[in-house]
């Protein structure tokens, strides 16, 4: 028992300080990038006539801009109100919470570069594909044309870029600290006290069923990525398949309850239903692909 407690404390401290440093560095770099990529610049580039390029740009801007729905949804509303093509805007919507740099770097650090690269490539493909499918389904008709206010990264700021980036890094880290601590605590607890046999019995291997179940339960669970990723590393270390963990992360981060509620303010029920279905499909497909290739 004493050894388990010591292992728990060592794991907690190691994970916490690793992720703390990662949060600060990545948030600082992303803030510098976002100072160069204004909302107006996104709007202009996504409105260019080359439709294929627009979808790729929508995915790319989603990958480097806001970390959560509190910023993503207001920007999405601004893009749609400015008559940005619906499909590329949907690629932005899918990519933003799932492909932000912090998510990718945390996956790299905790689960390895192969998982991070596979995750990024598969999500990039599905973000573009979802935008195309939603456009072809004429889901643009579901948009209510309302405005949502938010305190996203594109609000007016003062001071040098470095100072702004430091302020953004702290502003992002401070509210995330409780989630980070909870995630690291649970992850360290799993490391120290949960028997491997318990996890491998129910969630090991490359089975389709475990991936599907993880995708479905991820949404109502709403475990933030900052909390889930340290837990994911512990689950993988105990025998859970990488694909199952990835499916759980995508389900929770891609269609979180707060995001779905905000989307219901912008869109009719039909769109919200198809959005949830799309996230489930992406979660299941990505989980299965990760299990297949890694």
């Amino acid at each position: 028992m004493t050894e388990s407690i010591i292992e728990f404390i060592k794991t907690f401290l190691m994970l916490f300080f690793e992720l703390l440093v990662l949060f600060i560095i990545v948030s600082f770099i992303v803030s510098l990038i976002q100072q160069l990529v204004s909302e107006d610049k996104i709007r202009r580039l996504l409105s260019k006539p080359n439709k294929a390029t627009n979808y790729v740009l929508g995915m790319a801007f989603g990958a480097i801009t806001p970390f959560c729905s509190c910023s993503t949804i207001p920007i999405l509303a601004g893009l749609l109100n400015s008559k940005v093509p619906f499909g590329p805007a949907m690629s932005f919507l899918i990519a933003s919470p799932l492909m932000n740099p912090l998510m990718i770097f945390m996956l790299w650090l905790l689960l390895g570069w192969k998982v991070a690269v596979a995750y990024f490539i598969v999500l990039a493909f599905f973000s573009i594909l979802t935008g195309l499918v939603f456009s072809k389904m004429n889901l643009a008709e579901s948009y209510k044309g309302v405005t949502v206010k938010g305190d996203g990264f594109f609000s007016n700021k003062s001071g040098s870029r470095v100072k702004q980036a430091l302020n953004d890094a702290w502003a992002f880290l401070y509210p995330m600290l409780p989630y980070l601590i909870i995630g690291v605590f649970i992850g360290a607890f799993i490391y120290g006290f949960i028997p491997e046999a318990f996890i491998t019995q129910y969630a090991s291997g490359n089975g389709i069923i475990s991936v599907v179940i993880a995708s479905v339960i991820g949404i109502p669970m709403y475990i933030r990525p900052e909390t889930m990723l340290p837990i994911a590393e512990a689950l993988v270390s105990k025998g859970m398949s990488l694909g199952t963990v990835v499916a759980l992360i995508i389900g929770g981060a891609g269609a979180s309850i707060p995001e779905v509620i905000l989307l219901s303010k912008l869109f009719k029920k039909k769109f919200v239903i198809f959005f949830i279905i799309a996230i489930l499909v992406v979660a299941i497909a990505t989980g299965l692909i990760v299990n297949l290739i890694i």
Side-chain angles (χ1 to χ4, degrees):
M1 187 65 167
T2 303
E3 290 182 3
S4 296
I5 294 175
I6 293 174
E7 182 66 23
F8 166 80
I9 294 172
K10 287 171 59 179
T11 303
F12 177 87
L13 292 175
M14 181 184 69
L15 274 177
F16 179 75
F17 285 109
E18 277 185 357
L19 294 179
L20 188 67
V21 172
L22 180 67
F23 263 63
I24 295 172
I25 293 175
V26 175
S27 299
F28 177 82
I29 295 172
V30 170
S31 177
L32 290 176
I33 294 172
Q34 289 172 338
Q35 290 175 45
L36 302 175
V37 185
S38 65
E39 186 174 354
D40 183 60
K41 185 175 293 185
I42 294 175
R43 192 177 294 119
R44 292 199 311 271
L45 288 173
L46 292 185
S47 299
K48 288 186 175 181
N50 190 332
K51 292 184 178 180
T53 303
N54 287 351
Y55 285 95
V56 175
L57 287 173
M59 175 276 298
F61 284 131
I64 64 170
T65 48
F67 294 104
C68 63
S69 55
C70 62
S71 296
T72 300
I73 303 303
I75 293 174
L76 174 67
L79 295 176
L80 293 175
N81 289 340
S82 301
K83 307 304 180 184
V84 165
F86 185 77
M90 292 302 100
S91 295
F92 171 88
L93 173 66
I94 299 295
S96 185
L98 293 174
M99 295 177 62
N100 68 69
L102 186 60
M103 174 84 84
I104 302 301
F105 276 102
M106 285 182 71
L107 281 171
W108 190 306
L109 175 67
L110 298 177
L111 301 182
W113 69 268
K114 291 182 179 179
V115 175
V117 171
Y119 177 94
F120 184 88
I121 293 173
V122 175
L123 261 295
F125 171 78
F126 276 111
S127 297
I128 295 171
L129 180 62
T130 302
L132 286 166
V133 172
F134 277 23
S135 179
K136 294 295 183 183
M137 293 174 64
N138 293 321
L139 289 179
E141 299 175 355
S142 299
Y143 182 56
K144 297 177 182 178
V146 299
T147 300
V148 178
K149 295 182 179 180
D151 56 351
F153 279 84
F154 297 117
S155 55
N156 292 328
K157 299 176 181 180
S158 58
S160 68
R161 287 180 176 175
V162 173
K163 182 179 179 181
Q164 290 179 37
L166 288 172
N167 289 336
D168 284 342
W170 170 249
F172 179 62
L173 173 64
Y174 181 72
M176 292 299 106
L177 269 177
Y179 300 104
L180 179 63
I181 292 172
I182 292 170
V184 172
F185 180 90
I186 296 174
F189 182 85
I190 293 172
Y191 267 118
F193 298 102
I194 302 299
E196 291 183 17
F198 178 80
I199 294 175
T200 55
Q201 180 180 354
Y202 297 102
S204 63
N206 300 330
I208 296 176
I209 294 178
S210 62
V211 172
V212 172
I213 292 174
S215 302
V216 172
I217 67 175
I219 294 175
M221 280 178 62
Y222 181 45
I223 300 178
R224 297 183 67 101
E226 297 83 11
T227 303
M228 185 59 217
L229 285 169
I231 300 173
E233 184 195 18
L235 292 173
V236 169
S237 73
K238 293 292 185 176
M240 181 177 282
S241 70
L242 287 168
T244 302
V245 169
V246 167
L248 183 65
I249 293 170
I250 294 175
S256 66
I257 292 175
E259 183 175 13
V260 170
I261 292 173
L262 284 172
L263 284 174
S264 67
K265 305 295 184 183
L266 267 66
F267 297 93
K268 298 176 183 177
K269 186 181 296 185
K270 177 183 176 181
F271 174 90
V272 177
I273 292 172
F274 277 110
F275 173 78
I276 294 173
I277 293 173
I279 294 298
L280 287 175
V281 170
V282 171
I284 293 169
T286 306
L288 293 176
I289 291 171
V290 168
N291 275 341
L292 184 65
I293 65 177
I294 298 178

